[in-house]
Amino acid sequence: MMSSNPPLTAGEFLEEYIESLENLPSEVRQGLEELGRADAQYCDLKESYRAHWKKYIKSAKRSSVPASDDPALVASRLNIEKEYCSAIKKVDQKIDMASRLYELINRQNIRLDEEMLRLGIDIQDPIELKKTHIDAPSGSRDRKSLKGPFTAPRSSPSSRKRASAIASMEIDPNEPLYCFCQQVSFGDMVGCDNDSCDKEWFHYGCVGLTEPPIGKWYCETCLANMKNRK
């Protein structure tokens, strides 16, 4: 009968876990550099597409024949469509890179959580952890410029399709959920100034913001409740 290895003690796991993280910073740095290069390529494609599209529109207005009958305009239109498809592919490539980076880090987080659960280690009460997560960036309720690694886009068919790749990534089940969309914190977020707001934080894209609001800010739900009380 084969004997299985005994489970690691807390000290043994910690030593092995720290050793396993040795290459993580360099792997993340390399991934971010690749992501940066892909983003630069996308920006070049986008600018080229816009410039050619403006030129095409001007030429089409000046043309004495329909655009579909002008060989030069037809060729220009095909080239523009090719650039557009290349830009979309580059966006998908960026999402794949970001997903791989997330999974690379999240695997280590999940492994740590599993071992802590097995060893019966409770670093911090979940309620206190959520409180720290919310208040740590500013230390007060006036939280108007919280930044993150992602920017929440306005909802559209194409953005929802691309966002599905991010949504499919494995999320820590203990991560607090915010906003009307009930997603984890990411990108630019704003805090509701109603101390009793149950959602507290909101992604800019979900509430139609593009920059930090001036003065006090309340979410739609709290505004409606405040009006009803008057």
Side-chain angles (χ1 to χ4, degrees), residues 48-217:
S48 178
Y49 165 80
R50 287 178 174 176
H52 289 154
W53 178 251
K54 289 180 180 179
K55 184 178 179 181
Y56 171 84
I57 294 298
K58 290 181 180 179
S59 298
K61 288 181 178 179
R62 290 196 300 263
S63 178
S64 58
V65 298
S68 58
D69 296 335
D70 188 326
L73 288 176
V74 171
S76 178
R77 180 63 180 258
L78 291 175
N79 183 60
I80 291 171
E81 291 176 353
K82 183 178 179 181
E83 285 184 326
Y84 177 81
C85 291
S86 297
I88 293 299
K89 289 180 179 178
K90 190 59 65 174
V91 170
D92 292 337
Q93 182 183 355
K94 288 169 57 182
I95 291 175
D96 289 340
M97 290 178 176
S99 299
R100 288 197 298 270
L101 277 174
Y102 180 93
E103 292 167 1
L104 178 65
I105 298 172
N106 198 46
R107 278 198 302 269
Q108 299 293 347
N109 290 336
I110 292 174
R111 183 183 173 214
L112 180 60
D113 289 341
E114 290 175 345
E115 285 298 318
M116 287 172 55
L117 180 62
R118 181 184 68 82
L119 295 166
I121 300 174
D122 185 11
I123 293 180
Q124 192 171 16
D125 181 84
I127 296 177
E128 291 298 319
L129 183 62
K130 180 179 180 180
K131 181 179 179 182
T132 302
H133 178 84
I134 292 174
D135 294 337
S138 64
S140 69
R141 292 292 300 176
D142 187 18
R143 304 182 298 273
K144 302 303 181 187
S145 60
L146 177 64
K147 299 289 183 177
F150 299 98
T151 299
R154 295 290 295 170
S155 178
S156 67
S158 59
S159 66
R160 285 196 295 269
K161 180 179 179 182
R162 293 195 295 270
S164 64
I166 300 297
S168 64
M169 293 189 295
E170 189 172 8
I171 302 296
D172 185 348
N174 296 321
E175 183 77 9
L177 302 180
Y178 306 105
C179 193
F180 296 121
C181 65
Q182 284 296 280
Q183 298 294 325
V184 298
S185 62
F186 64 88
D188 297 346
M189 299 186 71
V190 61
C192 180
D193 280 301
N194 180 9
D195 290 336
S196 60
C197 179
D198 59 344
K199 294 181 176 62
E200 299 183 278
W201 285 91
F202 299 84
H203 305 104
Y204 274 24
C206 295
V207 293
L209 292 176
T210 57
E211 58 185 25
I214 299 174
K216 290 187 177 295
W217 183 90

